[in-house]
Amino acid sequence: MRAALDRLYSLSLWLAGLCLVAIAVLVGLQVGARLLDSALRTLGLEQTGFIVPSLAEIGGFLLAAASFLALGASLKAGSHIRVTMLLALVGEARRRPMELFALGVSALASGYGTWYTAKLALDSWTFNEKSYGIVPVPLVIPQASLAIGLAILTIAILDELHETAVRGRPSFRSAEDAIAVGKEA
Amino acid sequence: QTKWDLPTPYPDGNFHTKNIVQFAEDVKAATGGSLQITVHANQSLIKHPDIKNAVRSGTVPAGELLVSRLANESPIYEVDSVPFLASSYDAAKKLYAAQKPILEKKLGEQGLMLLFSVAWPPQGIFAKQELNTLADLKGVKFRAYSKSTERVAQLAGMVPVQIEASDIATAFATGRVGAMITSPSTGTDSKVWDFLSHYYDTQAWLPRNMVIVNKAAFDKLSDAEKQAVREAAKKAEERGWEMSAIETKEKTDLLAKNGIKVTAPSDDMKKGFAEIGATMTAEWEKAAGEDGKAILDAYRN
Amino acid sequence: MDAVTLASLLIVVLFLVLGTGTWIALALGIVAYAGMVIAVSAPPGQVLATSVWGAATSWDLTALPMFIWMGEILYRTRLSQDMFSGLAPWMRALPGRLLHVNVVGCTIFAAVSGSSAATCATIGRISLPELKKRGYDERLAIGTLAGGGTLGLLIPPSLIMIVYGAATEQSIARLFIAGIVPGIIVAGLFMAYVGGWALLNPGRMPEREPSMPLRERLAAGWRLIPVILLILGVIGSIYGGFASATEAAVVGVALSLVMSRAMGTLDWASFRDGLLGATRTSCMIAFILAGAAFLTTAMGFTGIPRALAEWIGAMNLSPWQLLLALTLFYMVLGCFLDGISMVVLTTAVIMPLVQAAGFDLIWFGIYIVIVVEMAQITPPVGFNLYVLQGMTGRSIFRIGLYALPFFLILAIVVALLAIFPDLALWLPRTMLEAG
Ligand code: NA
Ligand code: NA
């Protein structure tokens, strides 16, 4: 179970990272083509006129996928921020029930978001909705990435809820406490 | 008392928005305040790409959007944007009348109702340089934001480039784009005289916005309220088209006043555009199938 | 329920939820949900999905992860050591010494990036570890970054100016130019503050770097070449017409990779760590943006910002009173909403007032940008604070405290701008109307 969950987080983080790489590659192609065209124009040659169709729209979709697919892994790594002042103030004994409460509330909120983004994606699929630009992208694909990302986040929060219930502290706690300039791994 | 939120994509100063605000006031007056419509302009509530879906899903009861934004769902939605098919207010009205039954049917399939639809001023070419003949267009970097604008660029020998609306000023200033097609309204709203110099009144097409309503939300109204909405919508449509014509004149004058060289396209260019229009109309008809043929037949009679 | 009661109630909910240690993004979403359930008949779940989707797919936002990635790549090179070693002998005599790198770095980077968070994240990643290593006061280092990052909005290109220009039908080109002089003034005042602080607190400054003869100083200055080339490359890609302000971020990534390769620090491990680190950091920010987007839309439905703005309108204030009232209004609103939301939610009501009072709308645009900059560094909703909490582990409230002097300096600039409107208006007038 532990191994399967960790693989899930790591896989989705890698997918998210690849989405960022994809944005960079697409934009890079477009900028490269402009540079080439400018050189060709200077030399008096025919320009390529190459465009990456729907770059802005597809870039936006890739960004959404990158942002949401990384949610679970970022939680486990302690990257998501929260206000821990009060938690630190109350001392370890009272901290545990508060952590459990925060994790419970968060799991509910994240689950709620999962449900409704899934519904959004499903509706787009039912009505066969397409994006507006030169390439008609079925909206269900990028919208599903939101729902999947939030689902993984919900799993990660429940995972931490379980950790905290069993071990007394969430596993990202050490990461959260250790983050300091120049000290992270 | 019923409260409706109505998101629109354009800012408060835009004539479409003003017309819709007036529509909301008319409805309020006619229903004695039992139906109150709050207009949320400038994508402040829902972003333009999501307005149709938001109305369809009942997230908001009504909303405004550019009809041709739905072109990728069905070619029926973009007949108003087929270049040089209907290039005057009269022609655009006739084309709207021809499209309306099929448009309503299409919207009905998603539980949507058309309230009213108003044309933008005719689309003209804005450029950083003089464009006297069709040959001058060759190699010019032309802003393409949809399949059909990309096709116009291709057919006219221009180089299509993609520039986001928010990036237009910078793109002209740094030379990433040399020409674009839009209305004198959008031209003055974005103060084009700060970064380009020529306007060619090509009257290429008159794109329309539409205000749609969720059928289920509409059905919940009382009969008197329904009647009030229908009447206010009818008035808004008439008023909107008049406002649009006035807008064309005012904004074109404003362009000239701010130093933009406003000219009619040359005969050579007109001829070339007419050919492009014929090609694209034929392509559209092929893509739009039987419904498309029905619209064109009704339009041409 | 009236707007003020509802707003107060929601603020209490926000602090309660944040206080228990719920993640900020989710806390904002919970407040939005509460507002929807209490005051609005629209379906909250669908509003959540629509607003989150709309916010998550923003093209302009793609620049943010790219710049963060660029920072992560550079962090793994020798660039920041080189930059600081190159600058140190030159900055020796200047009070505040290398602390100025934060302000100057942010100012230069602001000419590349249109966002405050991206500026803060990129420069912070490069400079914070090095400043800490050299023993500079951490509070001031973090504060200057929080404040300096906001320059991303005032110095063109600027996302918020684009949003304001579209909402009020003002020329974006003019707004961009109008931001330059106030931007330089803000940067100058930030540096003056750093210098003054250093003179007053000599005990909290690290040991002075050893003095060097000019020849050695020049040799050390040679180490600045890579960073200069990098900045020129990115700025050049925008102004040379090869990339939009959004696309330029990718040029930054590409050049950083080339530089890392040339310095011999690019291997699979460093590439992987940089990419995944950037993915997590930008995920953290995007997630909060998504929560904030739901809150913004919920606020639009509840009509709270509109009602408050109407309330100010009903007071029939003189122009100066109006300006003061609006500044206070935006400062309070700025604690709870992000800058772009503040502009889109209030322009409909505020602009007619501002116009009636006779203010120039370009001038008002610059005014509002500076007020929005202030909002970036006030807790609990302030994106520069989030970036810096993610980077340093200090809580947003503490970082807000470190940033307080810079918040006050921005307030002073607002006052200066009100007294001397030409600070904003002179440059666009001379540049665009002479020719
Ligand atoms: Na900037
Ligand atoms: Na704030």
Side-chain angles (χ1 to χ4, degrees):
Chain A
M1 186 69 182
R2 181 75 265 144
L5 283 175
D6 288 341
R7 229 183 348 257
L8 173 69
Y9 306 136
S10 149
L11 183 72
S12 56
L13 180 66
W14 269 106
L15 271 175
L18 287 178
C19 288
L20 290 186
V21 172
I23 296 176
V25 168
L26 291 177
V27 174
L29 280 174
Q30 182 64 82
V31 175
R34 278 200 210 106
L35 276 166
L36 178 65
D37 270 358
S38 149
L40 290 172
R41 197 168 52 241
T42 319
L43 297 171
L45 298 170
E46 179 94 9
Q47 297 175 49
T48 63
F50 172 81
I51 56 172
V52 177
S54 284
L55 175 60
E57 237 174 27
I58 291 172
F61 295 156
L62 285 167
L63 174 69
S67 308
F68 279 77
L69 289 174
L71 282 172
S74 302
L75 182 97
K76 295 293 285 186
S79 299
H80 287 307
I81 65 168
R82 54 187 193 142
V83 179
T84 48
M85 257 183 341
L86 217 58
L87 295 178
L89 224 61
V90 295
E92 284 303 320
R94 286 200 210 111
R95 179 163 179 155
R96 185 169 157 178
M98 271 179 80
E99 290 270 23
L100 286 172
F101 177 79
L103 284 163
V105 168
S106 298
L108 279 177
S110 172
Y112 184 82
T114 310
W115 176 263
Y116 279 98
T117 45
K119 187 170 172 294
L120 183 80
L122 211 65
D123 269 13
S124 295
W125 191 51
T126 313
F127 289 93
N128 192 23
E129 261 145 3
K130 306 269 178 57
S131 70
Y132 160 64
I134 293 171
V135 182
V137 180
L139 290 182
V140 59
I141 299 172
Q143 286 175 347
S145 73
L146 261 65
I148 293 169
L150 280 167
I152 296 173
L153 176 68
T154 313
I155 293 171
I157 296 174
L158 291 173
D159 178 4
E160 287 300 334
L161 190 68
H162 176 255
E163 287 284 308
T164 313
V166 173
R167 284 179 231 279
R169 53 192 296 165
S171 67
F172 55 74
R173 177 73 188 279
S174 46
E176 213 173 45
D177 292 344
I179 289 179
V181 184
K183 272 198 190 152
E184 65 266 68
Chain B
Q1 200 203 26
T2 311
K3 283 187 175 171
W4 276 10
D5 292 290
L6 192 159
T8 79
Y10 303 98
D12 299 277
N14 183 275
F15 80 96
H16 285 288
T17 312
K18 286 180 183 160
N19 188 36
I20 293 170
V21 168
Q22 183 62 48
F23 161 76
E25 279 167 22
D26 289 351
V27 169
K28 188 178 169 192
T31 58
S34 80
L35 175 57
Q36 281 195 21
I37 302 177
T38 308
V39 179
H40 301 264
N42 199 27
Q43 323 195 53
S44 61
L45 197 66
I46 312 275
K47 297 238 167 71
H48 198 170
D50 304 317
I51 290 179
K52 194 269 288 177
N53 292 1
V55 180
R56 201 240 312 116
S57 63
T59 307
V60 287
E64 184 207 27
L65 68 149
L66 187 71
V67 182
S68 55
R69 275 202 87 102
L70 306 179
N72 282 344
E73 290 187 20
S74 157
I76 295 308
Y77 293 113
E78 63 172 340
V79 70
D80 59 4
S81 301
V82 176
F84 308 98
L85 172 59
S87 8
S88 68
Y89 277 98
D90 286 337
K93 258 187 194 160
K94 205 172 165 204
L95 184 59
Y96 172 38
Q99 179 204 21
K100 197 171 174 184
I102 295 169
L103 177 64
E104 287 183 320
K105 187 187 82 184
K106 277 273 165 206
L107 291 171
E109 285 166 11
Q110 303 198 11
L112 297 168
M113 257 175 67
L114 177 69
L115 280 185
F116 59 92
S117 178
V118 173
W120 283 89
Q123 306 280 297
I125 295 182
F126 288 87
K128 266 178 107 166
Q129 73 206 69
E130 228 170 293
L131 302 171
N132 287 323
T133 61
L134 209 61
D136 288 348
L137 289 174
K138 203 165 160 31
V140 169
K141 288 186 236 167
F142 179 78
R143 176 176 181 234
Y145 53 85
S146 61
K147 257 189 201 151
S148 74
T149 43
E150 189 195 21
R151 186 80 179 120
V152 170
Q154 276 173 354
L155 290 171
M158 299 185 280
V159 181
V161 292
Q162 295 176 103
I163 306 291
E164 291 308 288
S166 60
D167 185 33
I168 287 174
T170 320
F172 270 100
T174 58
R176 262 180 294 127
V177 67
M180 65 173 171
I181 192 159
T182 189
S183 69
S185 270
T186 309
T188 43
D189 290 353
S190 44
K191 308 277 191 282
V192 289
W193 44 84
D194 283 346
F195 49 84
L196 52 77
S197 51
H198 289 71
Y199 174 62
Y200 296 91
D201 188 11
T202 52
Q203 314 222 336
W205 67 89
L206 287 81
R208 289 192 335 268
N209 283 0
M210 61 179 174
V211 174
I212 52 173
V213 59
N214 181 297
K215 181 85 170 42
F218 187 78
D219 287 343
K220 279 192 200 133
L221 300 177
S222 72
D223 286 344
E225 286 167 339
K226 282 181 195 163
Q227 187 59 20
V229 170
R230 281 205 194 90
E231 272 170 25
K234 190 161 169 286
K235 260 171 53 189
E237 186 161 281
E238 282 165 18
R239 186 177 54 232
W241 282 77
E242 280 164 25
M243 287 169 88
S244 178
I246 297 171
E247 172 92 358
T248 305
K249 168 102 188 42
E250 280 180 1
K251 293 295 164 83
T252 311
D253 290 349
L254 205 56
L255 287 173
K257 210 185 119 212
N258 281 286
I260 298 282
K261 194 156 179 277
V262 178
T263 31
S266 66
D267 287 339
D268 174 68
M269 204 146 52
K270 269 190 204 155
K271 196 170 142 268
F273 279 143
E275 276 166 28
I276 292 172
T279 309
M280 288 186 65
T281 306
E283 286 171 357
W284 179 83
E285 190 175 358
K286 204 172 152 220
E290 250 169 60
D291 283 343
K293 194 170 173 315
I295 291 177
L296 287 182
D297 286 347
Y299 170 62
R300 281 167 178 156
N301 282 316
Chain C
M1 197 183 299
D2 68 294
V4 176
T5 322
L6 181 59
S8 319
L9 184 70
L10 293 180
I11 289 171
V12 172
V13 174
L14 177 62
F15 277 95
L16 275 179
V17 183
L18 281 179
T20 58
T22 304
W23 284 272
I24 288 172
L26 295 169
L28 296 176
I30 289 169
V31 174
Y33 176 82
M36 297 285 305
V37 170
I38 296 170
V40 181
S41 59
Q46 286 171 211
V47 172
L48 176 147
T50 308
S51 53
V52 165
W53 163 248
T57 47
S58 153
W59 161 243
D60 289 328
L61 197 63
T62 53
L64 186 75
M66 291 302 131
F67 279 133
I68 292 174
W69 189 10
M70 174 178 160
E72 289 284 339
I73 296 166
L74 296 178
Y75 167 77
R76 290 174 172 77
T77 65
R78 272 195 337 265
L79 182 105
S80 57
Q81 290 110 288
D82 279 0
M83 183 172 77
F84 278 79
S85 317
L87 282 172
W90 294 90
M91 311 275 271
R92 229 185 131 250
L94 191 67
R97 286 176 274 157
L98 290 170
L99 280 171
H100 291 292
V101 173
N102 275 351
V103 181
V104 176
C106 285
T107 310
I108 294 171
F109 197 76
V112 172
S113 136
S115 120
S116 153
T119 308
C120 194
T122 315
I123 298 298
R125 199 73 177 105
I126 301 170
S127 77
L128 266 186
E130 196 65 24
L131 282 173
K132 182 169 176 163
K133 206 165 77 191
R134 288 167 182 263
Y136 282 91
D137 185 74
E138 218 179 338
R139 273 173 289 183
L140 200 60
I142 293 174
T144 45
L145 261 179
T150 70
L151 285 168
L153 300 177
L154 192 54
I155 292 173
S158 159
L159 280 182
I160 188 87
M161 286 185 195
I162 289 171
V163 169
Y164 174 85
T168 59
E169 297 176 354
Q170 293 302 304
S171 160
I172 290 162
R174 244 160 235 265
L175 282 165
F176 276 8
I177 296 171
I180 294 175
V181 173
I184 292 169
I185 292 175
V186 170
L189 288 177
F190 282 178
M191 290 176 72
Y193 173 80
V194 169
W197 183 93
L199 287 178
L200 291 174
N201 300 283
R204 281 158 70 185
M205 290 295 287
E207 194 114 338
R208 202 174 284 278
E209 290 82 2
S211 90
M212 266 186 209
L214 183 66
R215 220 160 51 96
E216 273 177 54
R217 263 197 278 173
L218 284 174
W222 189 246
R223 302 173 76 172
L224 293 172
I225 296 291
V227 78
I228 292 171
L229 282 181
L230 182 70
I231 290 166
L232 284 182
V234 180
I235 295 182
S237 73
I238 298 180
Y239 293 96
F242 300 114
S244 71
T246 308
E247 292 161 346
V250 173
V251 176
V253 170
L255 292 178
S256 308
L257 285 172
V258 170
M259 190 163 292
S260 180
R261 173 87 207 173
M263 289 181 172
T265 45
L266 186 66
D267 55 23
W268 170 244
S270 77
F271 178 81
R272 178 197 60 204
D273 292 349
L275 175 64
L276 295 184
T279 308
R280 281 191 296 257
T281 304
S282 58
C283 164
M284 178 269 280
I285 297 173
F287 191 37
I288 300 176
L289 276 169
F294 181 30
L295 182 60
T296 298
T297 312
M299 287 299 108
F301 273 104
T302 61
I304 291 176
R306 202 188 274 235
L308 293 178
E310 275 167 2
W311 176 62
I312 293 177
M315 290 196 281
N316 279 319
L317 303 169
S318 73
W320 283 97
Q321 289 170 325
L322 177 70
L323 204 59
L324 191 63
L326 286 180
T327 308
L328 293 174
F329 168 65
Y330 279 121
M331 272 185 190
V332 174
L333 209 59
C335 291
F336 302 99
L337 290 178
D338 75 280
I340 289 177
S341 312
M342 271 162 51
V343 173
V344 297
L345 286 177
T346 59
T347 41
V349 185
I350 296 287
M351 283 309 134
L353 296 180
V354 169
Q355 256 173 321
F359 293 114
D360 181 287
L361 287 190
I362 294 287
W363 175 86
F364 191 75
I366 301 305
Y367 156 87
I368 220 169
V369 168
I370 300 178
V371 181
V372 163
E373 284 189 63
M374 296 162 75
Q376 297 290 331
I377 50 177
T378 51
V381 181
F383 280 85
N384 284 18
L385 305 180
Y386 300 154
V387 167
L388 288 167
Q389 171 165 349
M391 216 178 277
T392 66
R394 303 288 167 94
S395 103
I396 50 173
F397 291 98
R398 181 162 297 214
I399 297 168
L401 201 64
Y402 298 166
L404 184 61
F406 303 93
F407 176 88
L408 295 175
I409 290 173
L410 288 170
I412 292 171
V413 175
V414 166
L416 282 176
L417 200 63
I419 302 168
F420 308 108
D422 263 356
L423 290 179
L425 296 177
W426 173 76
L427 196 60
R429 199 167 53 223
T430 35
M431 273 180 76
L432 288 167
E433 275 153 41

